Each structure stands twice: as structure tokens, then as C-alpha cells.
Amino acid sequence: MKKRKNIITVAIDSPAAAGAGTQARLIAKHYNLLQLDTGRIYRLIGKLKLENPKKFGYSFVKKKINNLRLKSLQNKNLLSDKVAISASIIAKDKKIRNMVHQFQQKCAYSPPIRYAGSVLDGRDIITVQVRDAMFKFYITASLKVRSKRRFKEYKNLKKKITYKEVLKSLRNRDKSDRQRKYGPLKKTKDSILINTTKLSRKRCFEKIKVIMDRKLNI
Ligand code: C5P
């Protein structure tokens, strides 16, 4: 893969439902960057496992990733809690993580020419995927606030799930994502901490924008 030179690269790591996806979207729009929500790839694989328990295996996953289109990651049926849990289980597998790696590298370092760069968010973006990113943000919020936000999203999507179930699910996923052996979620020293517990989307983006504009000399 040929890396494009002089592009803007933004890497974001965060626990589930901390607002990283929303900020990545706002950053992508404002700075004209290709956006990749890497959790969607793991969700897609997690969903494949739920739907094809017998066929599911490395070669099956590899084929799917080789033919992966960004558009298929927009599918709303990736947004259920069941799929998220399945995603966090398959995400522990080193071989699967390596398969996803190549796709992420291409998006990060070689986005289509119409974009000025890329913004990726996930759990291991700063630590593994885009270690030399121009901007590194670690976005977080309290478990309670994240659960409230996710519960509201599920309600809007008409999902049948209680607040308590959402809280429990996020707590378990936090634990699994932080303690797993490969690509665990952790904050690096060189990333900027943004705590969105008491911040609105707008205020959060304003903070990020100040940091980015300063370095980009805008
Ligand atoms: O971000 P989202 O909640 O959609 O991610 C679903 C799951 O995918 C996470 O709980 C995590 O286990 C996995 N994931 C990962 N590495 C990433 C992004 C997501 O392991 N870069």
C-alpha cells in the first residue's frame, strides 16, 4: 500500500458510547476527512458470527473483509446490543484483528484523493493502528452518562432493552476491551484526554477544533 503524503490523520480511542463516533463525524465533515468507525467492522464480523455459526471461521471472515465496502458499515442493523456483545467477543481474536488491520491502514493512510486525510475511531487506533497520527484524542465519559446516552439511542431505534441492561452490557464490554490481550483499550501518554461527561457535542467539538486549528495554522 502506498501511503499518501502530507495528509491529516486523526486517531481517536474511547470506551463504548463516549461520543467518539459523533466527534469523528464532526471532525470529518469540518476538515474534509474520510471517516472510519472501526467498531462497525467488528460489529459486522460479530453479526456474521451470530447469523452463520456453522460457516464462521477465519477464511469466511477473510473473504468478507476482502470484499468489504464502506457503505455496508452504515447498516443500521449493526447497532443492536446483541451485535455489540458478539463484536467484543470476536475482537479478542488476534487473527481477526490482523485481518481488520489492513483495511484500517488503507483508510487511514491512503484515503481517496478527494479527502484531505482520515479520522479513525475505535479502541486500538492510537496504540496500534495509526501510531503516528497527527492528532490523538482519548474520548471518555462516566459509565452512567454513557449508558444513558446509549439507552436513548436504542429507544430512538425502537430497540427493546432496559437502562439496566444497557449499563450492564457497557460495563462488561469495558472490562473485556480493557483487559484483553491484543489491542486493549488504554490511554497513551501522548493523547489528549477529552471527558464528555459534562460536555455537549458542540462544546466538545469546539475544544477539539481549537487544538486542531492551532496545529494546522488555520
Ligand atoms: O465502538 P463499538 O462499540 O461499535 O465497538 C464494538 C466492539 O468492537 C467493541 O466493544 C470492541 O470490542 C470492538 N472494537 C475493537 N477495536 C476497535 C473498535 C472496536 O476491538 N478498534
Side-chain angles (χ1 to χ4, degrees):
M1 177 198 63
K2 219 174 149 219
K3 288 186 179 183
R4 269 181 62 195
K5 285 199 184 102
N6 303 321
I7 60 169
I8 300 169
T9 46
V10 184
I12 306 174
D13 280 332
S14 79
T22 304
Q23 293 307 315
R25 227 173 1 259
L26 294 171
I27 295 169
K29 199 166 170 215
H30 188 81
Y31 295 97
N32 183 34
L33 309 175
L34 172 72
Q35 187 214 344
L36 178 66
D37 175 348
T38 64
R40 295 285 181 105
I41 308 173
Y42 291 96
R43 282 173 181 260
L44 192 100
I45 301 168
K47 188 163 175 288
L48 283 173
K49 190 179 175 200
L50 291 174
E51 288 169 354
N52 310 274
K54 286 206 179 115
K55 267 198 254 166
F56 194 84
Y58 293 128
S59 59
F60 181 71
V61 174
K62 193 158 183 105
K63 230 191 248 163
K64 296 284 177 187
I65 295 177
N66 286 345
N67 297 315
L68 188 59
R69 295 277 165 276
L70 282 173
K71 230 182 154 193
S72 49
L73 299 176
Q74 304 302 328
N75 206 328
K76 280 214 161 47
N77 59 21
L78 295 177
L79 301 180
S80 76
D81 194 55
K82 228 173 142 186
V83 169
I85 292 168
S86 180
S88 71
I89 294 168
I90 59 90
K92 291 192 223 173
D93 190 308
K94 190 182 177 191
K95 264 197 172 167
I96 290 184
R97 298 200 75 79
N98 286 343
M99 288 178 198
V100 176
H101 181 73
Q102 286 168 18
F103 183 83
Q104 296 177 126
Q105 292 285 296
K106 197 153 180 279
C107 292
Y109 293 107
S110 200
I113 204 84
R114 64 179 180 279
Y115 294 109
S118 64
V119 50
L120 272 69
D121 75 281
R123 304 290 186 283
D124 65 339
I125 308 305
I126 300 168
T127 51
V128 181
Q129 308 299 333
V130 198
R131 288 157 84 159
D132 60 353
M134 195 170 185
F135 298 99
K136 301 175 180 184
F137 297 107
Y138 186 88
I139 299 184
T140 190
S142 72
L143 176 65
K144 216 170 145 186
V145 164
R146 288 188 284 125
S147 304
K148 272 189 191 160
R149 288 181 191 155
R150 184 49 48 93
F151 177 59
K152 210 170 149 195
E153 281 166 23
Y154 283 148
K155 258 180 114 179
N156 288 338
L157 289 165
K158 311 246 179 309
K159 303 267 184 213
K160 280 200 180 95
I161 190 163
T162 65
Y163 168 74
K164 264 197 169 161
E165 284 166 339
V166 175
L167 184 99
K168 191 173 162 215
S169 176
L170 286 191
R171 187 185 283 127
N172 287 339
R173 248 181 339 126
D174 276 1
K175 193 169 169 220
S176 170
D177 290 348
R178 287 192 174 113
Q179 295 184 350
R180 69 180 176 216
K181 194 163 174 197
Y182 307 107
L185 172 70
K186 58 179 172 219
K187 187 195 169 299
T188 59
K189 275 191 189 148
D190 63 351
S191 52
I192 299 170
L193 178 75
I194 310 253
N195 190 325
T196 71
T197 304
K198 288 176 187 159
L199 278 186
S200 68
R201 290 167 190 212
K202 206 171 153 228
R203 282 287 301 125
C204 185
F205 180 62
E206 276 165 11
K207 253 185 150 178
I208 290 174
K209 193 173 164 294
V210 167
I211 295 164
M212 289 187 61
D213 286 353
R214 197 186 303 138
K215 192 158 171 182
L216 294 168
N217 278 323
I218 295 175

